[in-house]
Structure formats: structure tokens, C-alpha cells
Amino acid sequence: MKQFEVNFDGLVGPTHNYAGLSFGNVASLNNANAVSSPKQAAKQGLLKMKALSDMGMMQGVLAPQERPDIAALRRLGFSGSDARVLESAAKQSREIFLACCSASSMWTANAATVSPSADTADGRVHFTPANLTNKFHRSLEPQVTGNILKATFANEKHFAHHLHLPDNEHFGDEGAANHTRLCSDYSHAGVELFVYGRHAFDPSKPAPTKFPARQTLEACQAVARLHGLSEEGVVYMQQNPDVIDQGVFHNDVIAVGNQNVLFYHDQAFYKKDAGLKELQTKFGDSPLHLIEVPTDEVSVKDAIKTYLFNTQIITLPSGDMTIIAPTNCEENDAVKRYLDKLVTLGTPIKSVNYFDVKQSMRNGGGPACLRLRVAMNDQELDAVNPATLINDMQFARLNKWVDKHYRDELTEDDLRDPQLLIESRTALDELTQLLKLGSVYPFQQD
């Protein structure tokens, strides 16, 4: 039975904008209110998907959320026609209005936590959408995320879908951005590394003081229970509170893993030595490559600025690993010097490929933010909605769809334009037909 790791990238939505909504995310805050280019952002993402497909990787796409979120604004008391809701929300509460216009679902690393069938008690692939309770604009996503995942992975024989965790800060869950699966082979049982920022029920434990710790230990444990993971196949490590306070809001900003490689900064984890020892023990006798980047070679500031660790590490059909990095890494002397050195160190990582995803980077998300990883065997892959997989034909269709529906530029004033809402809904309705998703959005169900 063949095994694949498929990257499902989030398609950037037609209202891609920079509102600076994410406290603790330095890039997001620094680019607040800049003019965005939805068309360029979507095309940059599609080019990355096509490039990985051309490398021989299995590549999928996940649909964006509907924005502006009229249903959320109505829940908050704004009433009348859709145009009236937009007008009154923008006038009475700019912050709420902008939050309901966020296109942050493009970062599908936050969409869900995924456990492959080799790890789970019932032998199915398990999905739990992240509740994203720490940020209001992201907490609007889980229900529709669940709809999209169910439409993409619909076969109950192979796929199990869970409701997102309770919408409460005690169970703050940020999905795969704080989750890494390590294994000797995708088809073998692996070790799932859950990284948390704080203990929700024990405030005496270490925690950051400046920026929020978005993921709790209790959320990690709940997801592991839901997915039927064995104690021998799970490791919980705490993110270093000091690096959270430096702007490392998710673990995937400071560490990334693939198969038998964990690539991380030396300041990434709290009580690092004990956690890595447990990881090595549970991984077993197979070689586990722990690639630690010293602070004196790459500072935390440079790691955040370039998203060195928000790169993707993928295993090519040749068996070698390559890093998918943003061009920001290539443009930073210290980071480029380190990556040039890395490929000579005799680790499984043999090359680096640079991609321009600056529209995403400016809003605080690199290549790894844009994808949700799903390890599957060939039977499970055959059960995936085929319209959501990227090939030359679907790539061309999606590019044509973007050209037809997306604006070249978007400002804050544009977001309150009722015509933009009509354009977006028209685009998403057509997209659900292209991807054969059915009615996943509230406006389609109403």
C-alpha cells in the first residue's frame, strides 16, 4: 500500500486585506492598513501549489471563508439589508467590522489538527477543526472549516470528523500550527508532537507576559483523545514563553518537522532537553535528525522576519528532502548563509527552493502557514474529493477563476462596498462548483 503526504493549501480569498488584527504577530501589526492585492496573493499561492505538484508531490486546495462575514455581524446586532449591515458596522465599530472582513482562513495550518490512520485507534484519518478562540476574527472560522473539510474528505470509511473544541480560552486550539508528526515512513505509526504555550488550569506554570499563549496543554490533550492516539505515540512540549513574547505566536514560526527531521531554533522550547529526549525515546531505534539552529547564527528576530521555520520541509519522490522557503529567507544574509550551510551538513535536507509569497508574509504567514498536511495511503487518497486536487487542468481553471473575480487592489474603504460582497459571494458560489463542495457557506444555505 502506497503512502503520501498531501499538502492542502488554503486558497487566498477575494477580500485579502491587511487590518493588523493579530496581536502578537509582528508582521501582521507592522503592515496594518497597507493596500493589499487579492489577485496577486491568490496567484502567488496557486503558483506554489502548482510548483509542488510539478515536483511530483500530491497537492490539494482548500476553499476560503466567506468575507465579509455578514452572519457574524448580524449575530452582533447589525441589522437590515446586507448593504445596511456593512454600512452600520463600518460606521459604529471599525474594529468589529474589520475582524469580520479578515481573509485569515488562507493560513490552513490553523484550519485543523490531522492524525493519519497509522496513528489512530480506529484506523481512519481524523480531523479536528481548530477553534482559534484567542483571536475574534479567527474564531469565526471553525464551522465553515468543518464544512469544507467534510466536503473534501467525505468518505466515512476512511475519514473521521470531530466538532471543534469548546469555544473557551481554556481549550484554545490553533491546529496544525502547533502540531508536528514525526515518523520513519508516512505509512508507519509515528510520534505526534503537540506544542502548547500555557497550562489553562494552572496559572502558576510558566507563561508569556507580553503576548498571549494561544494554545493550551488541555486543548492538545483533548485532540489527542478525540483522535484515539496512544500515549506511546504522543509528546507534549511547551513553547518557550520568552520567544512567544518576542513575537513567535505559533510553534511553526520557530520549528518545523517532516518524517525523521525536526528543524528548530535553540530557543524554541521550554525544558527542551527533557522534551527532545522523550521524543527520541518514543521515536524508537530509527534515526531521528534533530537540527538545532543556534542563536549566534540566526537570531529569533531574523527567524521571525524571514519565517525561516515557517518553511515547508517536503520529501521528494527521490527520497531527498527539500525546504520550500519564502524569498525573504534568500534576501536575509544570515538566514541565506545558514540555509546554504544546512544543505551541506549531511542531513536528509539536500536543497532549498525559494518562492515569492510576500502578500501572505506581509500579513504574518509564510509557506507553512498556507498548508494543511494530510498523510494518506492510496485507498484514502482515492476517497478524497478529486476536484480539490491540483493538476494542470485544475490549476488553469482556478487561475482563470481568480482573474475573473478578484480585484487587483483592496483598501479598507473597499471592504464596506456592498458590491465587493456581491462579487465575493458570486466567486465563492462558482468555486464550490469548481471544487464540487456543495453548499458549505451560510449564504448558500440561507
Side-chain angles (χ1 to χ4, degrees):
M1 190 176 292
K2 294 182 180 179
Q3 194 80 8
F4 310 87
E5 183 175 72
V6 188
N7 288 285
F8 283 83
D9 280 35
L11 188 58
V12 178
T15 58
H16 166 66
N17 68 93
Y18 302 130
L21 298 170
S22 192
F23 180 65
N25 182 331
V26 175
S28 172
L29 295 176
N30 286 346
N31 289 287
N33 304 319
V35 176
S36 65
S37 174
K39 183 176 290 185
Q40 185 182 35
K43 284 181 168 288
Q44 286 176 353
L46 282 167
L47 280 172
K48 183 174 83 72
M49 295 183 224
K50 177 64 162 54
L52 264 67
S53 177
D54 289 346
M55 290 178 189
M57 307 298 294
M58 295 301 302
Q59 176 69 53
V61 62
L62 293 177
Q65 306 262 330
E66 176 198 354
R67 295 293 181 270
D69 190 337
I70 296 295
L73 290 170
R74 290 188 184 280
R75 281 187 67 194
L76 295 172
F78 300 103
S79 59
S81 66
D82 289 343
R84 178 61 181 162
V85 167
L86 289 172
E87 180 186 359
S88 56
K91 184 177 181 180
Q92 296 176 34
S93 182
R94 173 177 176 266
E95 293 79 9
I96 292 174
F97 171 71
L98 289 177
C100 291
C101 293
S102 170
S104 56
S105 66
M106 62 194 276
W107 297 309
T108 51
N110 300 119
T113 303
V114 184
S115 294
S117 57
D119 294 354
T120 63
D122 66 0
R124 294 189 292 171
V125 184
H126 283 246
F127 298 84
T128 297
N131 59 23
L132 302 167
T133 56
N134 187 257
K135 295 287 178 284
F136 169 64
H137 67 284
R138 301 227 58 180
S139 73
L140 302 174
E141 298 173 20
Q143 190 63 52
V144 171
T145 295
N147 294 346
I148 292 169
L149 289 173
K150 288 172 184 175
T152 306
F153 307 95
N155 190 314
E156 293 184 2
K157 177 182 176 182
H158 297 291
F159 307 118
H161 295 273
H162 303 280
L163 184 65
H164 59 279
L165 298 182
D167 299 305
N168 183 278
E169 64 174 11
H170 285 76
F171 295 98
D173 177 24
E174 299 285 313
N178 290 320
H179 174 264
T180 299
R181 180 181 185 250
L182 300 168
C183 58
S184 56
D185 185 270
Y186 293 129
S187 62
H188 298 160
V191 179
E192 300 198 20
L193 173 60
F194 290 84
V195 180
Y196 62 95
R198 64 185 177 90
H199 296 72
F201 289 93
D202 189 351
S204 69
K205 298 285 188 181
T209 57
K210 180 181 179 182
F211 290 138
R214 304 185 185 186
Q215 183 92 24
T216 67
L217 171 62
E218 292 81 356
C220 296
Q221 293 169 331
V223 172
R225 286 191 295 269
L226 287 169
H227 291 195
L229 304 181
S230 70
E231 187 176 335
E232 294 74 26
V234 173
V235 172
Y236 303 101
M237 290 180 69
Q238 184 170 2
Q239 194 174 351
N240 181 356
D242 291 338
V243 297
I244 294 177
D245 280 338
Q246 292 178 65
V248 181
F249 53 100
H250 288 140
N251 181 62
D252 68 1
V253 180
I254 204 73
V256 59
N258 176 57
Q259 286 192 317
N260 63 344
V261 169
L262 182 63
F263 180 50
Y264 61 97
H265 195 274
D266 67 6
Q267 294 186 47
F269 303 109
Y270 177 70
K271 292 188 176 179
K272 172 181 64 179
D273 292 344
L276 294 176
K277 182 179 179 181
E278 181 184 357
L279 192 63
Q280 179 71 76
T281 299
K282 290 184 174 179
F283 194 81
D285 297 331
S286 302
L288 176 63
H289 298 268
L290 301 174
I291 305 174
E292 182 173 293
V293 180
T295 300
D296 59 8
E297 293 191 49
V298 178
S299 67
V300 172
K301 182 179 180 181
D302 277 345
I304 297 170
K305 182 179 179 182
T306 64
Y307 273 19
L308 167 61
F309 298 96
N310 200 252
T311 52
Q312 292 176 244
I313 305 175
I314 60 173
T315 302
L316 297 169
S318 66
D320 290 338
M321 295 189 193
T322 189
I323 286 182
I324 306 299
T327 49
N328 304 59
C329 288
E330 191 176 26
E331 295 159 3
N332 181 287
D333 290 342
V335 171
K336 177 64 162 57
R337 186 164 52 247
Y338 179 83
L339 287 172
D340 287 345
K341 171 186 168 183
L342 172 62
V343 298
T344 70
L345 296 180
T347 75
I349 300 172
K350 304 300 184 187
S351 60
V352 181
N353 288 270
Y354 296 99
F355 288 87
D356 182 359
V357 288
K358 283 188 169 63
Q359 284 289 316
S360 177
M361 290 285 287
R362 288 176 189 144
N363 223 3
C369 282
L370 288 164
R371 62 93 172 94
L372 184 69
R373 305 159 76 174
V374 186
M376 291 180 281
N377 60 42
D378 46 6
Q379 294 178 4
E380 292 157 353
L381 183 58
D382 285 344
V384 172
N385 175 352
T388 63
L389 297 176
I390 293 293
N391 53 34
D392 289 349
M393 186 177 295
Q394 198 66 322
F395 172 75
R397 286 174 180 150
L398 289 170
N399 258 298
K400 185 178 180 181
W401 173 80
V402 170
D403 285 332
K404 177 181 177 182
H405 293 288
Y406 279 50
R407 297 189 182 187
D408 290 312
E409 290 189 345
L410 207 62
T411 66
E412 183 177 325
D413 284 342
D414 292 327
L415 295 172
R416 66 189 73 187
D417 178 5
Q419 184 58 37
L420 179 64
L421 177 66
I422 294 170
E423 292 171 15
S424 298
R425 285 179 169 174
T426 301
L428 293 178
D429 194 52
E430 186 176 314
L431 180 66
T432 56
Q433 297 171 55
L434 275 174
L435 300 182
K436 295 182 171 34
L437 299 177
S439 299
V440 295
Y441 298 111
F443 78 88
Q444 294 175 315
Q445 296 160 358
D446 293 342

